Amino acid sequence: MNLRPVPRSSVSDHVFGQLRDAIVSGTYAPGDPLPSERELGAVLTVNRHAVREALRRLQQLGLVRVSQGGATRVLDWRVHAGLDLAMSLTQVDEVLPIDTLVRDVLEMRACIGTDAARLCALRADPATRAAVTGAVTGYVGAAPDLDRMDQANIALWRQIVQGSGNTAYLLAFNSLVGGALAVGRVPPQRRTAELLDTAGHRRLAALIADGDGDGAAGQAHTLLTAPVTAATERTRT
Amino acid sequence: MNLRPVPRSSVSDHVFGQLRDAIVSGTYAPGDPLPSERELGAVLTVNRHAVREALRRLQQLGLVRVSQGGATRVLDWRVHAGLDLAMSLTQVDEVLPIDTLVRDVLEMRACIGTDAARLCALRADPATRAAVTGAVTGYVGAAPDLDRMDQANIALWRQIVQGSGNTAYLLAFNSLVGGALAVGRVPPQRRTAELLDTAGHRRLAALIADGDGDGAAGQAHTLLTAPVTAATERTRT
DNA sequence: TCAGACAGACTGGTCCAACCAGTTGACGGG
DNA sequence: CCCGTCAACTGGTTGGACCAGTCTGTCTGA
Protein backbone atom coordinates (compact mmCIF):
# COMPACT_ATOMS: atom_id res chain seq x y z
CA MET A 1 0.00 0.00 0.00
CA ASN A 2 1.09 3.56 -0.57
CA LEU A 3 1.66 5.65 2.53
CA ARG A 4 0.22 9.08 2.89
CA PRO A 5 1.32 11.96 5.09
CA VAL A 6 -0.30 11.96 8.49
CA PRO A 7 -3.04 14.57 8.60
CA ARG A 8 -2.32 16.64 11.67
CA SER A 9 -5.22 18.78 12.70
CA SER A 10 -5.06 21.64 15.10
CA VAL A 11 -7.61 22.47 17.74
CA SER A 12 -9.25 25.14 15.63
CA ASP A 13 -9.48 22.62 12.80
CA HIS A 14 -11.58 20.40 15.01
CA VAL A 15 -13.80 23.27 16.05
CA PHE A 16 -14.17 24.29 12.42
CA GLY A 17 -15.07 20.79 11.33
CA GLN A 18 -17.62 20.26 14.04
CA LEU A 19 -19.36 23.57 13.48
CA ARG A 20 -19.31 23.14 9.71
CA ASP A 21 -20.89 19.72 9.90
CA ALA A 22 -23.44 20.93 12.42
CA ILE A 23 -24.45 23.79 10.17
CA VAL A 24 -24.53 21.89 6.88
CA SER A 25 -26.36 18.96 8.41
CA GLY A 26 -29.01 21.29 9.76
CA THR A 27 -28.32 21.00 13.49
CA TYR A 28 -28.29 24.78 13.42
CA ALA A 29 -30.98 26.09 11.12
CA PRO A 30 -30.44 29.19 8.98
CA GLY A 31 -31.08 32.27 11.07
CA ASP A 32 -30.32 30.51 14.32
CA PRO A 33 -27.78 32.17 16.57
CA LEU A 34 -24.66 30.18 17.30
CA PRO A 35 -23.62 29.88 20.95
CA SER A 36 -21.36 32.74 21.97
CA GLU A 37 -17.64 32.42 21.43
CA ARG A 38 -17.03 32.18 25.14
CA GLU A 39 -19.68 29.49 25.50
CA LEU A 40 -18.34 27.46 22.59
CA GLY A 41 -14.89 27.68 24.10
CA ALA A 42 -16.22 26.43 27.41
CA VAL A 43 -18.22 23.57 25.90
CA LEU A 44 -15.36 22.40 23.68
CA THR A 45 -12.78 23.07 26.41
CA VAL A 46 -10.88 25.27 24.04
CA ASN A 47 -9.62 28.79 24.13
CA ARG A 48 -11.74 31.54 22.70
CA HIS A 49 -9.16 32.40 20.04
CA ALA A 50 -9.33 28.91 18.62
CA VAL A 51 -13.08 29.32 18.33
CA ARG A 52 -12.64 32.68 16.65
CA GLU A 53 -10.26 31.29 14.06
CA ALA A 54 -12.73 28.56 13.26
CA LEU A 55 -15.52 31.10 12.95
CA ARG A 56 -13.43 33.15 10.54
CA ARG A 57 -13.12 30.18 8.28
CA LEU A 58 -16.85 29.51 8.47
CA GLN A 59 -17.44 33.14 7.63
CA GLN A 60 -15.11 32.85 4.65
CA LEU A 61 -17.07 29.82 3.44
CA GLY A 62 -20.32 31.75 3.71
CA LEU A 63 -21.80 29.61 6.46
CA VAL A 64 -22.20 32.24 9.17
CA ARG A 65 -22.57 35.98 9.49
CA VAL A 66 -20.81 37.52 12.47
CA SER A 67 -21.68 40.97 13.70
CA GLN A 68 -20.14 42.81 16.57
CA GLY A 69 -22.43 43.17 19.52
CA GLY A 70 -24.97 40.77 18.09
CA ALA A 71 -24.89 37.01 17.96
CA THR A 72 -23.15 35.08 15.19
CA ARG A 73 -25.95 33.75 13.05
CA VAL A 74 -26.13 30.78 10.73
CA LEU A 75 -26.63 31.51 7.04
CA ASP A 76 -28.45 29.29 4.57
CA TRP A 77 -25.56 27.59 2.81
CA ARG A 78 -27.77 26.90 -0.19
CA VAL A 79 -27.92 30.64 -0.69
CA HIS A 80 -24.68 32.05 0.65
CA ALA A 81 -22.04 29.33 0.36
CA GLY A 82 -19.79 29.21 -2.68
CA LEU A 83 -18.43 26.28 -4.63
CA ASP A 84 -15.54 25.90 -2.20
CA LEU A 85 -17.98 24.38 0.23
CA ALA A 86 -18.04 21.35 -2.03
CA MET A 87 -14.46 20.73 -0.99
CA SER A 88 -15.66 20.25 2.57
CA LEU A 89 -18.79 18.26 1.88
CA THR A 90 -17.71 14.71 2.42
CA GLN A 91 -19.16 13.86 5.79
CA VAL A 92 -22.80 14.81 5.57
CA ASP A 93 -24.30 11.79 3.93
CA GLU A 94 -27.73 12.27 5.46
CA VAL A 95 -28.34 15.74 4.10
CA LEU A 96 -26.57 15.23 0.80
CA PRO A 97 -26.02 11.62 -0.32
CA ILE A 98 -22.44 11.16 -1.43
CA ASP A 99 -23.45 9.47 -4.67
CA THR A 100 -25.61 12.40 -5.60
CA LEU A 101 -22.81 14.81 -4.83
CA VAL A 102 -20.41 12.84 -7.01
CA ARG A 103 -22.92 12.89 -9.83
CA ASP A 104 -23.35 16.64 -9.44
CA VAL A 105 -19.62 17.24 -9.51
CA LEU A 106 -19.17 15.04 -12.57
CA GLU A 107 -22.05 16.79 -14.25
CA MET A 108 -20.48 20.16 -13.62
CA ARG A 109 -17.10 18.95 -14.75
CA ALA A 110 -18.65 17.76 -18.00
CA CYS A 111 -20.39 21.09 -18.49
CA ILE A 112 -17.31 23.20 -17.78
CA GLY A 113 -14.92 20.83 -19.52
CA THR A 114 -16.90 20.83 -22.72
CA ASP A 115 -16.94 24.59 -23.01
CA ALA A 116 -13.33 24.87 -21.86
CA ALA A 117 -12.24 22.49 -24.62
CA ARG A 118 -14.16 24.59 -27.13
CA LEU A 119 -12.55 27.82 -25.93
CA CYS A 120 -9.14 26.20 -25.71
CA ALA A 121 -9.38 25.21 -29.36
CA LEU A 122 -10.42 28.72 -30.28
CA ARG A 123 -8.24 30.88 -28.06
CA ALA A 124 -5.17 29.01 -26.91
CA ASP A 125 -1.73 30.01 -28.13
CA PRO A 126 0.52 27.47 -29.93
CA ALA A 127 2.55 26.71 -26.81
CA THR A 128 -0.57 25.76 -24.87
CA ARG A 129 -1.83 23.59 -27.73
CA ALA A 130 1.47 21.77 -27.66
CA ALA A 131 1.20 21.41 -23.90
CA VAL A 132 -2.22 19.81 -24.27
CA THR A 133 -0.90 17.35 -26.80
CA GLY A 134 1.99 16.60 -24.49
CA ALA A 135 -0.35 16.08 -21.55
CA VAL A 136 -2.37 13.57 -23.57
CA THR A 137 0.81 11.72 -24.43
CA GLY A 138 1.73 11.61 -20.76
CA TYR A 139 -1.74 10.41 -19.94
CA VAL A 140 -1.67 7.63 -22.49
CA GLY A 141 1.78 6.64 -21.30
CA ALA A 142 0.54 6.26 -17.75
CA ALA A 143 -1.68 3.31 -18.70
CA PRO A 144 -2.57 0.93 -17.26
CA ASP A 145 -1.75 2.33 -13.80
CA LEU A 146 -5.11 3.76 -12.79
CA ASP A 147 -3.74 6.03 -10.10
CA ARG A 148 -1.16 7.58 -12.37
CA MET A 149 -3.74 7.87 -15.15
CA ASP A 150 -6.03 9.65 -12.76
CA GLN A 151 -3.29 12.11 -11.93
CA ALA A 152 -2.35 12.61 -15.57
CA ASN A 153 -5.99 13.04 -16.47
CA ILE A 154 -6.33 15.88 -13.99
CA ALA A 155 -3.15 17.48 -15.32
CA LEU A 156 -4.51 17.20 -18.86
CA TRP A 157 -7.78 18.88 -18.07
CA ARG A 158 -5.98 21.54 -16.12
CA GLN A 159 -4.05 22.35 -19.27
CA ILE A 160 -7.24 22.54 -21.28
CA VAL A 161 -8.99 24.72 -18.74
CA GLN A 162 -5.94 26.94 -18.54
CA GLY A 163 -5.87 27.14 -22.32
CA SER A 164 -9.48 28.31 -22.35
CA GLY A 165 -8.25 31.56 -20.86
CA ASN A 166 -11.25 31.68 -18.56
CA THR A 167 -10.20 32.32 -14.98
CA ALA A 168 -13.62 31.42 -13.61
CA TYR A 169 -13.38 28.00 -15.24
CA LEU A 170 -9.91 27.56 -13.82
CA LEU A 171 -11.00 28.38 -10.28
CA ALA A 172 -14.08 26.19 -10.55
CA PHE A 173 -11.90 23.37 -11.80
CA ASN A 174 -9.71 23.75 -8.74
CA SER A 175 -12.75 23.60 -6.49
CA LEU A 176 -13.98 20.44 -8.16
CA VAL A 177 -10.60 18.72 -8.16
CA GLY A 178 -10.05 19.57 -4.52
CA GLY A 179 -13.57 18.42 -3.80
CA ALA A 180 -15.41 15.17 -3.74
CA LEU A 181 -13.87 14.04 -7.02
CA ALA A 182 -10.38 13.76 -5.61
CA VAL A 183 -11.03 12.57 -2.10
CA GLY A 184 -10.82 9.00 -3.20
CA ARG A 185 -14.51 8.53 -2.60
CA VAL A 186 -14.92 7.01 -6.03
CA PRO A 187 -13.40 3.53 -6.11
CA PRO A 188 -11.02 2.85 -9.03
CA GLN A 189 -13.22 0.42 -10.88
CA ARG A 190 -15.86 3.08 -11.20
CA ARG A 191 -13.64 5.32 -13.27
CA THR A 192 -12.16 2.65 -15.46
CA ALA A 193 -14.44 3.24 -18.41
CA GLU A 194 -13.70 6.92 -18.46
CA LEU A 195 -9.99 6.68 -17.97
CA LEU A 196 -9.25 4.00 -20.51
CA ASP A 197 -10.54 5.81 -23.58
CA THR A 198 -7.08 6.85 -24.70
CA ALA A 199 -8.09 7.07 -28.35
CA GLY A 200 -10.80 9.55 -27.50
CA HIS A 201 -8.37 11.73 -25.63
CA ARG A 202 -5.92 11.65 -28.50
CA ARG A 203 -8.68 12.78 -30.82
CA LEU A 204 -9.53 15.59 -28.45
CA ALA A 205 -5.95 16.84 -28.46
CA ALA A 206 -5.87 16.74 -32.25
CA LEU A 207 -9.08 18.76 -32.51
CA ILE A 208 -7.76 21.34 -30.08
CA ALA A 209 -4.48 21.54 -31.98
CA ASP A 210 -6.47 22.14 -35.17
CA GLY A 211 -8.46 24.91 -33.58
CA ASP A 212 -11.74 23.11 -34.22
CA GLY A 213 -13.88 24.52 -31.41
CA ASP A 214 -17.09 22.65 -32.14
CA GLY A 215 -15.28 19.40 -32.76
CA ALA A 216 -13.33 19.68 -29.54
CA ALA A 217 -16.50 20.49 -27.64
CA GLY A 218 -18.25 17.47 -29.07
CA GLN A 219 -15.37 15.14 -28.30
CA ALA A 220 -14.99 16.54 -24.77
CA HIS A 221 -18.71 16.11 -24.23
CA THR A 222 -18.47 12.49 -25.27
CA LEU A 223 -15.54 11.85 -22.95
CA LEU A 224 -17.01 13.63 -19.95
CA THR A 225 -20.63 12.57 -20.22
CA ALA A 226 -20.06 8.84 -19.96
CA PRO A 227 -19.07 8.92 -16.28
CA VAL A 228 -22.02 11.17 -15.55
CA THR A 229 -24.56 8.69 -16.85
CA ALA A 230 -22.80 5.95 -14.94
CA ALA A 231 -22.99 8.02 -11.77
CA THR A 232 -26.64 8.80 -12.44
CA GLU A 233 -27.38 5.10 -12.61
CA ARG A 234 -25.61 4.69 -9.31
CA THR A 235 -27.82 7.20 -7.57
CA ARG A 236 -30.92 5.20 -8.40
CA THR A 237 -29.80 2.11 -6.59
CA MET B 1 -29.48 58.28 -4.60
CA ASN B 2 -30.15 55.11 -2.68
CA LEU B 3 -28.32 54.71 0.61
CA ARG B 4 -26.39 51.62 1.44
CA PRO B 5 -25.35 50.19 4.80
CA VAL B 6 -21.99 51.44 6.00
CA PRO B 7 -19.35 48.77 5.43
CA ARG B 8 -17.55 48.41 8.72
CA SER B 9 -14.36 46.49 8.49
CA SER B 10 -12.43 45.06 11.37
CA VAL B 11 -8.67 45.08 11.78
CA SER B 12 -8.31 41.51 10.61
CA ASP B 13 -10.39 42.39 7.55
CA HIS B 14 -7.81 44.97 6.58
CA VAL B 15 -4.96 42.55 7.13
CA PHE B 16 -6.80 39.93 5.10
CA GLY B 17 -7.46 42.31 2.25
CA GLN B 18 -3.91 43.58 2.07
CA LEU B 19 -2.37 40.13 2.12
CA ARG B 20 -4.89 38.78 -0.38
CA ASP B 21 -4.19 41.56 -2.84
CA ALA B 22 -0.45 41.22 -2.34
CA ILE B 23 -0.63 37.51 -3.08
CA VAL B 24 -2.99 37.62 -6.03
CA SER B 25 -1.16 40.55 -7.60
CA GLY B 26 2.10 38.67 -7.35
CA THR B 27 3.90 40.76 -4.74
CA TYR B 28 4.52 37.45 -3.04
CA ALA B 29 5.32 34.76 -5.58
CA PRO B 30 4.11 31.18 -5.14
CA GLY B 31 6.47 29.36 -2.82
CA ASP B 32 7.65 32.52 -1.15
CA PRO B 33 7.47 32.57 2.63
CA LEU B 34 5.22 35.18 4.15
CA PRO B 35 6.71 37.31 6.92
CA SER B 36 6.19 35.70 10.30
CA GLU B 37 2.99 36.41 12.21
CA ARG B 38 4.88 38.46 14.76
CA GLU B 39 6.57 40.47 12.06
CA LEU B 40 3.35 41.11 10.19
CA GLY B 41 1.77 42.25 13.41
CA ALA B 42 4.62 44.64 14.03
CA VAL B 43 4.62 46.05 10.51
CA LEU B 44 0.86 46.52 10.41
CA THR B 45 0.79 47.68 14.06
CA VAL B 46 -1.74 45.02 14.84
CA ASN B 47 -1.90 42.24 17.36
CA ARG B 48 -0.72 38.83 16.34
CA HIS B 49 -4.17 37.32 16.87
CA ALA B 50 -5.64 39.61 14.24
CA VAL B 51 -2.95 38.48 11.82
CA ARG B 52 -3.73 34.87 12.59
CA GLU B 53 -7.42 35.31 11.86
CA ALA B 54 -6.57 36.89 8.52
CA LEU B 55 -4.21 34.02 7.72
CA ARG B 56 -6.96 31.50 8.49
CA ARG B 57 -9.16 33.12 5.91
CA LEU B 58 -6.35 33.11 3.35
CA GLN B 59 -5.80 29.45 4.13
CA GLN B 60 -9.49 28.76 3.61
CA LEU B 61 -9.34 30.50 0.24
CA GLY B 62 -6.38 28.36 -0.77
CA LEU B 63 -3.91 31.21 -1.00
CA VAL B 64 -1.41 30.10 1.64
CA ARG B 65 -0.25 26.93 3.31
CA VAL B 66 0.60 27.24 7.00
CA SER B 67 2.67 24.67 8.79
CA GLN B 68 3.69 24.66 12.39
CA GLY B 69 7.36 25.31 12.92
CA GLY B 70 7.92 26.29 9.32
CA ALA B 71 7.08 29.51 7.56
CA THR B 72 3.66 30.22 6.07
CA ARG B 73 4.15 29.90 2.34
CA VAL B 74 2.26 31.37 -0.57
CA LEU B 75 0.42 28.97 -2.84
CA ASP B 76 -0.20 29.45 -6.54
CA TRP B 77 -3.78 30.64 -6.58
CA ARG B 78 -4.17 29.48 -10.17
CA VAL B 79 -3.71 25.96 -8.87
CA HIS B 80 -5.02 25.93 -5.33
CA ALA B 81 -7.68 28.64 -5.07
CA GLY B 82 -11.33 27.77 -5.59
CA LEU B 83 -14.11 29.66 -7.26
CA ASP B 84 -14.81 31.63 -4.10
CA LEU B 85 -11.70 33.62 -4.84
CA ALA B 86 -13.64 35.24 -7.69
CA MET B 87 -15.79 36.87 -5.01
CA SER B 88 -12.71 38.71 -3.80
CA LEU B 89 -11.14 39.58 -7.13
CA THR B 90 -12.22 43.13 -7.71
CA GLN B 91 -9.12 45.14 -6.98
CA VAL B 92 -6.37 43.51 -8.99
CA ASP B 93 -6.83 45.11 -12.34
CA GLU B 94 -3.21 44.78 -13.39
CA VAL B 95 -2.99 41.04 -13.02
CA LEU B 96 -6.52 40.31 -14.16
CA PRO B 97 -8.30 43.02 -16.16
CA ILE B 98 -11.76 43.56 -14.78
CA ASP B 99 -13.39 43.40 -18.20
CA THR B 100 -11.86 40.03 -18.82
CA LEU B 101 -13.02 38.78 -15.45
CA VAL B 102 -16.56 39.95 -16.17
CA ARG B 103 -16.47 38.16 -19.51
CA ASP B 104 -15.22 35.00 -17.81
CA VAL B 105 -17.96 35.11 -15.21
CA LEU B 106 -20.65 35.70 -17.82
CA GLU B 107 -19.24 32.88 -19.90
CA MET B 108 -19.41 30.54 -16.97
CA ARG B 109 -22.88 31.68 -16.07
CA ALA B 110 -24.00 30.94 -19.62
CA CYS B 111 -22.42 27.51 -19.50
CA ILE B 112 -23.90 26.55 -16.14
CA GLY B 113 -27.22 28.26 -16.77
CA THR B 114 -27.78 26.43 -20.04
CA ASP B 115 -27.27 23.02 -18.52
CA ALA B 116 -29.19 23.96 -15.39
CA ALA B 117 -32.19 24.95 -17.49
CA ARG B 118 -31.98 21.63 -19.31
CA LEU B 119 -31.83 19.66 -16.06
CA CYS B 120 -34.53 21.79 -14.49
CA ALA B 121 -36.86 20.95 -17.36
CA LEU B 122 -36.05 17.27 -16.98
CA ARG B 123 -35.87 16.80 -13.23
CA ALA B 124 -37.78 19.52 -11.43
CA ASP B 125 -40.96 18.70 -9.53
CA PRO B 126 -44.23 20.51 -10.38
CA ALA B 127 -43.89 22.97 -7.49
CA THR B 128 -40.50 24.12 -8.72
CA ARG B 129 -41.77 24.48 -12.27
CA ALA B 130 -44.53 26.69 -10.97
CA ALA B 131 -41.98 28.68 -8.96
CA VAL B 132 -39.94 29.28 -12.11
CA THR B 133 -42.98 30.50 -13.97
CA GLY B 134 -43.81 32.74 -11.05
CA ALA B 135 -40.28 34.12 -10.96
CA VAL B 136 -40.49 35.00 -14.63
CA THR B 137 -43.75 36.80 -13.99
CA GLY B 138 -42.13 38.75 -11.18
CA TYR B 139 -39.21 39.53 -13.43
CA VAL B 140 -41.38 40.79 -16.23
CA GLY B 141 -43.42 42.81 -13.78
CA ALA B 142 -40.29 44.56 -12.52
CA ALA B 143 -39.75 46.30 -15.87
CA PRO B 144 -38.58 48.88 -16.62
CA ASP B 145 -36.74 49.37 -13.30
CA LEU B 146 -33.31 47.95 -14.17
CA ASP B 147 -32.23 47.47 -10.58
CA ARG B 148 -35.35 45.55 -9.65
CA MET B 149 -35.12 43.57 -12.88
CA ASP B 150 -31.57 42.69 -12.03
CA GLN B 151 -32.65 41.40 -8.65
CA ALA B 152 -35.61 39.50 -10.09
CA ASN B 153 -33.36 38.04 -12.78
CA ILE B 154 -31.04 36.63 -10.17
CA ALA B 155 -33.98 35.21 -8.23
CA LEU B 156 -35.27 33.60 -11.42
CA TRP B 157 -32.00 31.91 -12.24
CA ARG B 158 -31.64 30.80 -8.66
CA GLN B 159 -34.96 29.02 -9.01
CA ILE B 160 -33.79 27.35 -12.21
CA VAL B 161 -30.48 26.28 -10.75
CA GLN B 162 -32.25 24.99 -7.68
CA GLY B 163 -34.66 23.11 -9.90
CA SER B 164 -31.78 21.42 -11.66
CA GLY B 165 -31.15 19.49 -8.46
CA ASN B 166 -27.41 19.89 -8.89
CA THR B 167 -25.79 21.15 -5.70
CA ALA B 168 -22.52 21.97 -7.45
CA TYR B 169 -24.37 24.22 -9.88
CA LEU B 170 -26.12 25.88 -6.97
CA LEU B 171 -22.91 26.61 -5.10
CA ALA B 172 -21.17 27.83 -8.23
CA PHE B 173 -24.11 30.10 -8.91
CA ASN B 174 -23.72 31.57 -5.45
CA SER B 175 -20.04 32.18 -6.05
CA LEU B 176 -20.75 33.95 -9.31
CA VAL B 177 -23.59 36.06 -7.95
CA GLY B 178 -21.52 37.07 -4.95
CA GLY B 179 -18.64 37.80 -7.28
CA ALA B 180 -17.82 40.33 -9.90
CA LEU B 181 -21.27 40.09 -11.44
CA ALA B 182 -23.01 41.60 -8.45
CA VAL B 183 -20.46 44.12 -7.26
CA GLY B 184 -22.01 46.75 -9.44
CA ARG B 185 -18.96 46.78 -11.64
CA VAL B 186 -21.08 46.46 -14.74
CA PRO B 187 -22.87 49.74 -15.47
CA PRO B 188 -26.63 49.40 -16.05
CA GLN B 189 -26.59 50.29 -19.72
CA ARG B 190 -24.36 47.34 -20.38
CA ARG B 191 -26.95 44.86 -19.21
CA THR B 192 -29.92 46.45 -20.86
CA ALA B 193 -30.02 44.15 -23.84
CA GLU B 194 -29.94 41.06 -21.72
CA LEU B 195 -32.44 42.19 -19.16
CA LEU B 196 -35.08 43.47 -21.52
CA ASP B 197 -35.76 40.25 -23.40
CA THR B 198 -38.90 39.48 -21.42
CA ALA B 199 -40.42 37.44 -24.22
CA GLY B 200 -37.41 35.18 -24.28
CA HIS B 201 -37.64 34.57 -20.56
CA ARG B 202 -41.33 33.78 -20.83
CA ARG B 203 -40.56 31.24 -23.51
CA LEU B 204 -37.89 29.71 -21.31
CA ALA B 205 -40.37 29.27 -18.46
CA ALA B 206 -42.84 27.64 -20.81
CA LEU B 207 -40.25 25.18 -22.08
CA ILE B 208 -39.24 24.29 -18.55
CA ALA B 209 -42.87 23.83 -17.56
CA ASP B 210 -43.31 21.49 -20.53
CA GLY B 211 -40.29 19.44 -19.54
CA ASP B 212 -38.57 20.13 -22.85
CA GLY B 213 -34.93 19.83 -21.80
CA ASP B 214 -33.31 20.52 -25.15
CA GLY B 215 -35.64 23.38 -25.88
CA ALA B 216 -35.01 24.98 -22.51
CA ALA B 217 -31.25 24.56 -22.97
CA GLY B 218 -31.41 26.23 -26.36
CA GLN B 219 -33.48 29.12 -25.12
CA ALA B 220 -31.28 29.57 -22.04
CA HIS B 221 -28.23 29.53 -24.27
CA THR B 222 -29.73 32.26 -26.42
CA LEU B 223 -30.54 34.40 -23.42
CA LEU B 224 -27.21 33.96 -21.67
CA THR B 225 -24.87 34.09 -24.63
CA ALA B 226 -25.81 37.57 -25.82
CA PRO B 227 -24.19 39.36 -22.87
CA VAL B 228 -21.10 37.19 -23.27
CA THR B 229 -20.48 38.28 -26.84
CA ALA B 230 -21.07 41.87 -25.79
CA ALA B 231 -18.54 41.48 -22.99
CA THR B 232 -16.08 39.83 -25.35
CA GLU B 233 -16.30 42.82 -27.64
CA ARG B 234 -15.58 45.01 -24.66
CA THR B 235 -12.36 43.21 -23.84
CA ARG B 236 -10.94 43.99 -27.26
CA THR B 237 -11.19 47.74 -26.87
C1' DT C 1 37.83 16.49 5.16
C1' DC C 2 33.22 15.45 5.92
C1' DA C 3 28.99 13.20 7.76
C1' DG C 4 26.11 13.52 11.50
C1' DA C 5 24.59 14.95 16.12
C1' DC C 6 23.29 18.83 18.65
C1' DA C 7 21.78 23.32 20.40
C1' DG C 8 19.64 27.49 19.78
C1' DA C 9 16.92 30.54 17.22
C1' DC C 10 13.46 30.73 14.68
C1' DT C 11 8.38 29.29 13.10
C1' DG C 12 3.34 28.59 14.18
C1' DG C 13 -0.24 26.71 18.10
C1' DT C 14 -2.54 27.51 22.37
C1' DC C 15 -3.82 29.56 26.39
C1' DC C 16 -5.03 33.21 30.02
C1' DA C 17 -6.65 37.62 31.27
C1' DA C 18 -8.23 42.04 30.50
C1' DC C 19 -10.45 45.67 28.29
C1' DC C 20 -12.94 48.15 24.24
C1' DA C 21 -17.09 48.54 21.35
C1' DG C 22 -21.23 47.56 19.61
C1' DT C 23 -26.28 45.29 20.41
C1' DT C 24 -30.06 43.88 22.88
C1' DG C 25 -33.72 43.90 25.99
C1' DA C 26 -35.71 44.87 30.33
C1' DC C 27 -36.86 48.30 33.33
C1' DG C 28 -38.67 52.65 34.93
C1' DG C 29 -40.06 57.46 34.25
C1' DG C 30 -42.77 60.45 31.49
C1' DC D 1 -48.64 53.69 26.28
C1' DC D 2 -44.22 55.34 24.53
C1' DC D 3 -39.54 56.26 24.93
C1' DG D 4 -35.09 56.99 27.01
C1' DT D 5 -31.69 54.75 30.06
C1' DC D 6 -28.74 51.36 31.52
C1' DA D 7 -27.00 46.87 32.57
C1' DA D 8 -25.92 42.60 30.66
C1' DC D 9 -24.87 40.51 26.98
C1' DT D 10 -22.37 40.00 22.15
C1' DG D 11 -18.04 40.17 19.27
C1' DG D 12 -13.25 42.99 18.59
C1' DT D 13 -8.62 43.78 20.15
C1' DT D 14 -4.69 43.70 22.83
C1' DG D 15 -0.72 41.96 25.67
C1' DG D 16 1.91 38.43 27.35
C1' DA D 17 3.32 33.88 28.25
C1' DC D 18 4.39 29.31 27.08
C1' DC D 19 4.26 24.88 24.18
C1' DA D 20 5.55 22.47 19.94
C1' DG D 21 7.34 21.86 15.86
C1' DT D 22 11.20 23.24 12.09
C1' DC D 23 15.34 24.98 10.44
C1' DT D 24 20.19 26.11 10.48
C1' DG D 25 24.65 26.85 11.82
C1' DT D 26 28.15 24.84 14.54
C1' DC D 27 30.77 21.65 16.57
C1' DT D 28 32.26 16.98 17.29
C1' DG D 29 33.81 12.56 16.03
C1' DA D 30 35.20 9.42 12.59
Side-chain angles (χ1 to χ4, degrees):
Chain A
M1 73 168 290
N2 47 3
L3 303 171
R4 285 175 304 172
V6 176
R8 72 200 74 192
S9 53
S10 64
V11 172
S12 77
D13 284 339
H14 276 116
V15 177
F16 169 74
Q18 287 191 48
L19 289 176
R20 180 201 59 204
D21 289 347
I23 291 173
V24 175
S25 71
T27 305
Y28 294 110
D32 281 359
L34 235 46
S36 75
E37 297 176 350
R38 292 170 176 85
E39 192 175 344
L40 282 172
V43 171
L44 302 171
T45 59
V46 148
N47 189 272
R48 191 176 154 213
H49 289 297
V51 175
R52 283 180 62 80
E53 289 178 11
L55 288 176
R56 287 298 184 196
R57 295 175 61 183
L58 294 173
Q59 180 189 24
Q60 190 60 41
L61 266 183
L63 294 183
V64 301
R65 190 195 63 219
V66 315
S67 53
Q68 184 177 356
T72 297
R73 288 185 180 278
V74 175
L75 293 174
D76 188 346
W77 63 269
R78 293 165 190 279
V79 176
H80 293 92
L83 188 57
D84 284 6
L85 179 61
M87 287 202 269
S88 305
L89 287 179
T90 56
Q91 312 281 8
V92 282
D93 214 29
E94 321 85 41
V95 165
L96 199 67
I98 192 69
D99 276 341
T100 303
L101 182 61
V102 168
R103 181 207 62 179
D104 290 351
V105 168
L106 290 173
E107 215 161 58
M108 180 163 173
R109 190 187 63 156
C111 182
I112 299 286
T114 299
D115 203 44
R118 192 189 107 244
L119 293 174
C120 184
L122 295 179
R123 301 204 280 228
D125 55 284
T128 303
R129 290 171 204 277
V132 169
T133 307
V136 168
T137 305
Y139 165 70
V140 171
D145 183 337
L146 277 183
D147 281 330
R148 276 184 58 212
M149 287 183 80
D150 201 4
Q151 222 171 327
N153 189 267
I154 290 177
L156 162 63
W157 282 103
R158 178 178 299 284
Q159 276 296 341
I160 294 175
V161 169
Q162 230 158 11
S164 77
N166 186 315
T167 304
Y169 284 173
L170 181 61
L171 295 174
F173 176 81
N174 289 340
S175 290
L176 295 178
V177 166
L181 200 59
V183 207
R185 283 288 190 162
V186 189
Q189 62 273 17
R190 289 186 174 180
R191 358 172 260 222
T192 308
E194 168 194 9
L195 288 174
L196 288 186
D197 186 3
T198 54
H201 283 89
R202 262 200 253 261
R203 203 172 310 131
L204 174 62
L207 289 164
I208 288 178
D210 288 347
D212 180 356
D214 290 336
Q219 182 61 35
H221 186 262
T222 303
L223 286 173
L224 294 173
T225 293
V228 173
T229 54
T232 305
E233 282 308 311
R234 222 173 293 136
T235 59
R236 296 194 210 287
T237 59
Chain B
M1 71 169 290
N2 46 3
L3 302 172
R4 284 176 302 172
V6 176
R8 73 201 72 193
S9 53
S10 65
V11 173
S12 76
D13 283 340
H14 277 115
V15 177
F16 169 73
Q18 287 192 48
L19 289 177
R20 180 201 58 204
D21 290 347
I23 292 173
V24 175
S25 70
T27 305
Y28 295 110
D32 281 359
L34 235 47
S36 75
E37 297 176 349
R38 292 170 175 85
E39 192 174 342
L40 282 172
V43 171
L44 302 170
T45 60
V46 148
N47 190 273
R48 190 176 154 216
H49 291 298
V51 174
R52 283 180 62 81
E53 289 179 11
L55 288 176
R56 287 299 185 195
R57 295 175 60 182
L58 293 174
Q59 180 188 23
Q60 189 61 41
L61 265 183
L63 294 183
V64 301
R65 188 195 64 217
V66 316
S67 53
Q68 185 177 357
T72 296
R73 290 185 179 278
V74 176
L75 293 174
D76 187 347
W77 64 268
R78 293 166 190 279
V79 177
H80 293 92
L83 188 58
D84 285 7
L85 179 61
M87 287 202 269
S88 305
L89 286 180
T90 56
Q91 313 281 8
V92 282
D93 215 28
E94 321 86 41
V95 166
L96 198 70
I98 191 69
D99 276 343
T100 302
L101 183 62
V102 168
R103 181 207 63 177
D104 290 350
V105 167
L106 290 173
E107 216 161 58
M108 180 162 173
R109 191 188 61 157
C111 183
I112 299 286
T114 299
D115 202 44
R118 190 189 109 242
L119 293 174
C120 184
L122 294 179
R123 300 205 280 227
D125 54 285
T128 303
R129 289 171 204 277
V132 169
T133 307
V136 168
T137 305
Y139 166 70
V140 171
D145 183 336
L146 277 185
D147 281 332
R148 276 185 58 213
M149 285 183 81
D150 202 4
Q151 221 170 329
N153 189 269
I154 290 176
L156 162 62
W157 282 102
R158 178 178 298 284
Q159 276 295 342
I160 294 175
V161 169
Q162 230 158 12
S164 77
N166 185 317
T167 304
Y169 284 174
L170 182 59
L171 294 175
F173 176 82
N174 289 340
S175 291
L176 295 177
V177 167
L181 201 61
V183 207
R185 283 288 187 162
V186 189
Q189 61 273 18
R190 289 188 173 178
R191 358 173 261 220
T192 309
E194 168 194 6
L195 287 174
L196 288 186
D197 186 4
T198 54
H201 283 89
R202 261 201 253 262
R203 203 170 311 129
L204 175 63
L207 288 165
I208 288 178
D210 287 348
D212 180 356
D214 290 336
Q219 183 60 37
H221 185 262
T222 303
L223 287 173
L224 294 173
T225 292
V228 173
T229 55
T232 305
E233 283 306 312
R234 223 172 292 136
T235 58
R236 295 196 210 286
T237 59

